[in-house]
Amino acid sequence: MAHPRDQITQLLDDGVRERVFPGAVWAIGDATARHLLTHTAGMPLRANLKHLYGTAPRTVRDGVLREALHRPIGEAVNYTDRASLVLGYLAEHLSGRPLDHLARHRVWQPLGMNSTRFGPLPAALIGRYAPTELDPDTGAHLKGVVHDFSARLLNGVCGIAGVFAAADDLGSSSATSWPPPPERIRSVSEPPGWPSPSRSTPAT
């Protein structure tokens, strides 16, 4: 099921139950994409994916979507990797495409970011990207491999982390997308009913 581009913003305030995992009774309940983006969906704070669900990506996905909430939806802002992970699952489900394919064709290529990609990187490209961190198990720097353990568990492609971009691609993105139109900023960051700038009280 794919949504036309002009309907994507409607998802901000649509409940995401049934969209990512149809038929399941899962913990996100009536949370919206806005709750996930603002880390107010009440999800557990720690990812802890391997310990809880094992190493198979499908098993991890099923486990994350069935996990009990940490607190009521909308009660508080608590950063959690799980929110980003579910947003990635949501994007895949709505587009019918893998996240790496979707990001490449709908985000990076339109912005001129033609060498940006999820890892692991092929050997021929590793030299263009900075190492991510020192691996304590091997004593070597990770090169072309995401540093985030959850993303590595999911083969380097997920909503949490895993994207590699070189300096020239970041420059292309900045030149193309900055500054964004004010209406696009408001559509993501402000929930319905917030006052518009014209009605805001001037700073004193």
Side-chain angles (χ1 to χ4, degrees):
M1 176 177 62
H3 282 250
R5 185 171 302 177
D6 61 356
Q7 295 181 4
I8 294 298
T9 55
Q10 295 178 15
L11 298 176
L12 288 173
D13 300 301
D14 284 349
V16 296
R17 184 195 295 271
E18 303 299 328
R19 291 189 179 278
V20 182
F21 199 48
V25 179
W26 54 292
I28 305 304
D30 293 323
T32 67
R34 190 185 302 275
H35 287 122
L36 295 168
L37 286 165
T38 57
H39 295 278
T40 57
M43 302 189 73
L45 302 186
R46 294 180 61 84
N48 209 16
L49 303 181
K50 182 178 180 180
H51 174 72
L52 292 173
Y53 316 122
T55 59
R58 177 71 189 201
T59 303
V60 171
R61 180 179 185 270
D62 293 352
V64 167
L65 297 180
R66 288 184 168 128
E67 190 68 49
L69 289 177
H70 169 68
R71 65 195 317 156
I73 295 168
E75 181 180 85
V77 176
N78 288 131
Y79 178 85
T80 170
D81 285 347
R82 287 170 178 257
S84 301
L85 185 58
V86 172
L87 283 167
Y89 293 149
L90 179 62
E92 289 184 325
H93 182 71
L94 293 175
S95 67
R97 298 180 178 182
L99 188 60
D100 52 348
H101 185 280
L102 179 64
R104 183 169 65 252
H105 291 280
R106 293 290 297 272
V107 181
W108 301 328
Q109 288 183 353
L111 292 175
M113 302 173 68
N114 296 315
S115 61
T116 297
R117 63 190 67 205
F118 280 97
L121 298 177
L125 295 178
I126 287 177
R128 296 195 61 204
Y129 303 84
T132 50
E133 71 174 4
L134 185 67
D135 185 346
D137 295 327
T138 65
H141 285 96
L142 294 176
K143 297 181 179 180
V145 178
V146 62
H147 73 285
D148 183 270
F149 183 80
S150 296
R152 270 188 279 164
L153 179 67
L154 297 172
N155 302 317
V157 181
C158 69
I160 297 174
V163 177
F164 289 83
D168 53 351
D169 271 15
L170 295 176
S172 296
S173 170
S174 298
T176 303
S177 60
W178 189 262
E183 63 272 15
R184 292 192 63 187
I185 298 175
R186 290 180 56 78
S187 69
V188 173
S189 62
E190 299 179 7
W194 279 31
S196 66
S198 62
R199 298 197 303 270
S200 298
T201 303
T204 58

